Amino acid sequence: MMKNNKESKFLRWLNGEDLLIDTKNEEPPVYDPEAANPYQYETEAHTLRKVDKAERRVFSRVYLALSVLLVLFLSAVLLLTVSNLPRYGSAEAPVNNEVSERYIEEGLEETGATNLVAGMILDYRAFDTLGESHVLFTGICAVMILLLTARKDSKKQLRHQDEEALYDVTCDPIVRIMAFFLMPCLLLFGIYVLLNGHLSPGGGFSGGAILGAAFILYSMAFGFEKTERFLNEKTIKVISCCSLGFYVVAKSYSFFTGANHLPSIISPGTPGAILSAGIIMPLNVAVGMVVACTMYSIFSFFKRGTV
């Protein structure tokens, strides 16, 4: 019975319930005026309060102890890793070995990208970029978890709506007119940076930031209701999941064929052409979509508490 009680508390904690602040007994004492002891209710309530305080104290101590142990473990792993790295200026350092020479001398031939930076981060080190994209996705998930509580409090929501009405810029004709002319330019420039990331400076992160800024400007000038016509919560989830899924599948195929010396249907193409550099351009588009959705989602959550 005690084990089931601990498991239920752990599941409630995972679901977001703060057991340290709002811990209530599932079976509160019932006041019985005909009881033999007139102070029975007060005595039981006092006992339960003492039990609740003791449980909160134990839980907080265990939580803090586990947190400290986790931080110490991660710190030890990082320090051990750093201690095994070559010293700065050493001949064995990656800066001074053949890796950089390989990127510069054979990067154009192997990746087909005239932008060697794009060839490096989306071909040689594509899984590292995949991790960065997942960091952005995890960031928006964390923001959603932290800010969704604002939707449950009706008083805070009403106060937030009143504050928004005071600083509403959707009625400003200057903002609306300027956004009307700037929006197409920002979208066009963002798409250009995404599609030319393998040919010139740019790529998924910079192009996605431009597109995200365009969506934020549109929502500020014309309101979230009009923005939700083409970019709502469901659309953002579909775009993010499809982009990350495509990235994983495409790069896993490329890695599998390259690591096993198998023929690949993906050709680097002619360097300098728009349809070249293998899958670098589609990967840039996938990363850009994740960045744009993440930027707009975080802005929307901080602005109104939802996407």
Side-chain angles (χ1 to χ4, degrees), residues 188-219:
L188 184 62
F189 184 58
I191 294 173
Y192 167 80
V193 172
L194 281 181
L195 299 182
N196 287 270
H198 60 296
L199 303 177
S200 60
F205 289 100
S206 53
I210 297 172
L211 293 177
F215 297 145
I216 291 173
L217 175 64
Y218 186 87
S219 62

Side-chain angles (χ1 to χ4, degrees), residues 109-112 253 264-270 275-280:
E109 180 182 355
E110 292 180 347
T111 65
Y253 168 79
S264 176
I265 61 174
I266 302 173
S267 173
T270 304
L275 297 177
S276 62
I279 59 174
I280 291 181

Side-chain angles (χ1 to χ4, degrees), residues 12 16 39 56 102 138 160 183 185 218 230 255 271 303:
R12 285 161 53 196
Y39 301 102
R56 289 198 299 269
R102 176 66 175 268
T138 307
H160 184 67
M183 186 69 180
C185 300
Y218 186 87
F230 60 91
F255 178 77
K303 180 69 175 176

Side-chain angles (χ1 to χ4, degrees), residues 97-199:
N97 61 20
E98 66 276 2
V99 175
S100 58
E101 296 179 0
R102 176 66 175 268
Y103 291 163
I104 297 173
E105 295 177 358
E106 302 184 19
L108 180 63
E109 180 182 355
E110 292 180 347
T111 65
T114 56
N115 183 6
L116 295 181
V117 176
M120 181 183 67
I121 66 175
L122 290 173
D123 194 285
Y124 293 114
R125 299 179 57 188
F127 278 102
D128 180 67
T129 307
L130 175 62
E132 295 174 1
S133 301
H134 277 84
V135 167
L136 294 174
F137 182 75
T138 307
I140 183 59
C141 292
V143 172
M144 291 175 64
I145 293 172
L146 292 174
L147 297 183
L148 277 176
T149 54
R151 300 173 63 181
K152 300 179 181 180
D153 195 338
S154 58
K155 293 182 179 179
K156 289 184 178 179
Q157 195 169 4
L158 292 175
R159 186 168 64 252
H160 184 67
Q161 292 176 357
D162 295 338
E163 293 176 355
E164 279 190 344
L166 294 176
Y167 302 100
D168 188 12
V169 296
T170 57
C171 301
D172 193 330
I174 298 178
V175 175
R176 293 173 66 92
I177 293 174
M178 293 303 298
F180 179 80
F181 287 104
L182 284 176
M183 186 69 180
C185 300
L186 289 174
L187 291 177
L188 184 62
F189 184 58
I191 294 173
Y192 167 80
V193 172
L194 281 181
L195 299 182
N196 287 270
H198 60 296
L199 303 177

Side-chain angles (χ1 to χ4, degrees), residues 205 208-213 216 290-300:
F205 289 100
I210 297 172
L211 293 177
I216 291 173
V290 175
V291 172
C293 292
T294 301
M295 286 185 57
Y296 174 76
S297 300
I298 293 178
F299 168 79
S300 178

